[in-house]
Amino acid sequence: MKPKVAIACQGGGSQTAFTAGVFKALSENKVRDHFDIVSISGTSGGAICGFMLWYAIKRGETPICKRVLDFWNDNAAKTYQERVLNDSIIHSLYLGGKGLIPQFNLSPSSPWVKNSFSVATLGIRNEFTDLGALLASHVDARELASLGRQPEPPILVIGACNVLTGRLHKFSSYLEPVKIEHLLASACVPSIFPAVSIGDMAFWDGLFSDNPPIATLIDPRFVGPRNMPNEIWVIKINPTTADEIPVAPDDILDRHNELTGNISLFHSLRQIERINDFIITGAFNDEFLAEFDIKDPIKIPRSFPDDPDAPYHIPRIEMSVELAKSLDYESKLDRCPEHIARLIRDGEEQGRRFLESRLS
């Protein structure tokens, strides 16, 4: 019997193009011949990548990576005008982060911001300036709605934060039909987009909840008792360590963003590590574990690289050291084609290495 695997995709803006490369490697190396993907979770850009993979599997598409690669191809700046707009935004953010130009905090809901953006984007593809339009061009909303609730694997879990209640929220295909609005909610960076309203609730970026959802993947209420994974693979975007203490304003912002993005991940991994310790010591009776088809500890990445190995240790899928060190906060918003292509290539290489090591 093939091991049951859950794939958790961390968010990180444009840097999550790395995840598309990982999916390309898994697809080309026929991951489903060796593993049963029972669930996929994600936050923000990771949620969009995870959704595209889930949607492709549900539709029976081959290769399963084509849809997510097509999305990133369209998400990149294609025309001269799009390149100018993209480069201007990134350069302005860079100069502001260095303290070379003043920064202004404006609400994305402000009429002035909306009008100014409309003028600046004249003649540019709507799909480049409107995430909802981009998603709609890659997903048939009516077909998605017709899928309804999906209790069969793989289960999709999307993380978001309820702005009004302050509670973490998980949209699960096991419990409800998946909607494009769920992706928009998960990717709603509050400094860029107005809060996404669904019903009488409003949502912000899943970065404020789980980045990515991990503990939910072993919660039968969200994935079903028969979809509990034997392994959890984490596609990690934010680096864990830093070589030096940040001093410059933009370096402080970058490190703050990395640490914030990892807090919930490490907390969730610690929770599962503790559950695994209980399994190893026999704290749960066999009848209880059998209800969830659990025979051994769940294989997960250890929270920190210097932790001692455990029976359930599997390395996470991370960027190469060279690529990770070359990235900064601005690169999370950079959509220049060369940047996106570089991230995808590295994801493909790291995904291939991971799968080779896992199968060896």
Side-chain angles (χ1 to χ4, degrees):
M1 182 179 294
K2 293 184 290 187
K4 295 180 180 179
V5 169
I7 302 177
C9 310
Q10 196 173 46
S14 294
Q15 292 179 10
T16 54
F18 171 83
T19 303
V22 173
F23 288 165
K24 184 173 186 287
L26 298 183
S27 174
E28 291 180 347
N29 289 277
K30 303 186 185 307
V31 65
R32 298 174 72 200
D33 287 351
H34 307 282
F35 300 94
D36 183 11
I37 301 176
V38 295
S39 57
I40 304 167
S41 74
T43 291
S44 197
I48 293 174
C49 289
F51 166 82
M52 293 296 174
L53 182 70
W54 173 84
Y55 190 50
I57 292 174
K58 289 294 181 180
R59 297 184 80 248
E61 296 175 355
T62 54
I64 57 175
C65 63
K66 183 179 184 302
R67 186 171 291 271
V68 67
L69 293 171
D70 288 347
F71 169 84
W72 280 104
N73 178 58
D74 277 355
N75 193 27
K78 287 186 171 184
T79 67
Y80 173 76
Q81 287 174 295
E82 290 172 0
R83 288 291 296 260
V84 169
L85 177 63
N86 177 78
D87 295 349
S88 298
I89 292 173
I90 299 306
H91 190 57
S92 297
L93 289 171
Y94 175 79
L95 293 177
K98 291 293 184 184
L100 300 176
I101 62 172
Q103 291 180 304
F104 300 96
N105 293 322
L106 299 171
S107 167
S109 300
S110 163
W112 186 88
V113 170
K114 291 180 179 180
N115 292 333
S116 299
F117 190 70
S118 296
V119 172
T121 57
L122 283 174
I124 292 178
R125 287 180 301 139
N126 191 36
E127 290 82 3
F128 186 72
T129 60
D130 185 337
L131 179 58
L134 177 62
L135 289 169
S137 70
H138 286 268
V139 180
D140 186 326
R142 286 181 296 183
E143 181 186 53
L144 182 61
S146 70
L147 290 178
R149 172 177 166 265
Q150 290 286 305
E152 298 301 319
I155 305 300
L156 178 67
V157 178
I158 298 171
C161 177
N162 190 314
V163 181
L164 301 178
T165 67
R167 298 182 65 180
L168 314 183
H169 193 89
K170 313 297 187 303
F171 300 104
S172 168
S173 64
Y174 183 77
L175 299 174
E176 61 182 314
V178 176
K179 301 178 181 178
I180 291 179
E181 288 80 4
H182 297 162
L183 298 174
L184 294 174
S186 183
C188 181
V189 180
S191 60
I192 301 176
F193 305 111
V196 174
S197 296
I198 300 177
D200 57 355
M201 290 290 108
F203 297 91
W204 273 350
D205 196 320
L207 173 66
F208 298 103
S209 55
D210 283 352
N211 189 25
I214 297 285
T216 310
L217 297 174
I218 63 166
D219 189 334
R221 295 173 300 173
F222 288 92
V223 298
R226 292 302 167 190
N227 297 322
M228 302 286 280
N230 305 120
E231 306 179 11
I232 297 177
W233 297 352
V234 178
I235 302 177
K236 190 168 177 292
I237 303 298
N238 294 306
T240 301
T241 62
D243 291 336
E244 55 188 23
I245 300 172
V247 176
D250 58 334
D251 292 333
I252 293 172
L253 175 63
D254 188 27
R255 189 57 182 154
H256 175 271
N257 182 269
E258 292 171 351
L259 294 174
T260 302
N262 282 333
I263 288 174
S264 62
L265 169 63
F266 292 148
H267 177 69
S268 293
L269 292 179
R270 286 297 192 193
Q271 282 184 299
I272 300 178
E273 286 169 4
R274 188 59 175 152
I275 292 172
N276 281 340
D277 290 338
F278 288 151
I279 294 174
I280 290 173
T281 56
F284 301 122
N285 62 47
D286 294 340
E287 291 76 16
F288 173 78
L289 295 177
E291 287 183 23
F292 307 105
D293 198 25
I294 297 175
K295 301 178 179 64
D296 299 294
I298 300 164
K299 295 181 179 179
I300 59 169
R302 298 294 287 185
S303 298
F304 295 95
D306 57 354
D307 276 355
D309 287 342
Y312 44 86
H313 170 68
I314 287 181
R316 60 181 65 89
I317 308 173
E318 294 189 84
M319 296 177 185
S320 63
V321 174
E322 295 76 18
L323 177 60
K325 286 186 175 181
S326 71
L327 301 177
D328 52 23
Y329 176 77
E330 291 77 26
S331 69
K332 290 181 181 291
L333 301 175
D334 190 358
R335 296 157 70 188
C336 110
E338 293 79 12
H339 176 58
I340 298 299
R342 183 183 175 210
L343 288 158
I344 290 175
R345 284 196 303 271
D346 193 65
E348 187 176 358
E349 175 64 17
Q350 303 312 315
R352 181 185 61 78
R353 290 184 179 183
F354 172 83
L355 198 56
E356 285 180 352
S357 67
R358 183 64 192 86
L359 295 173
S360 63

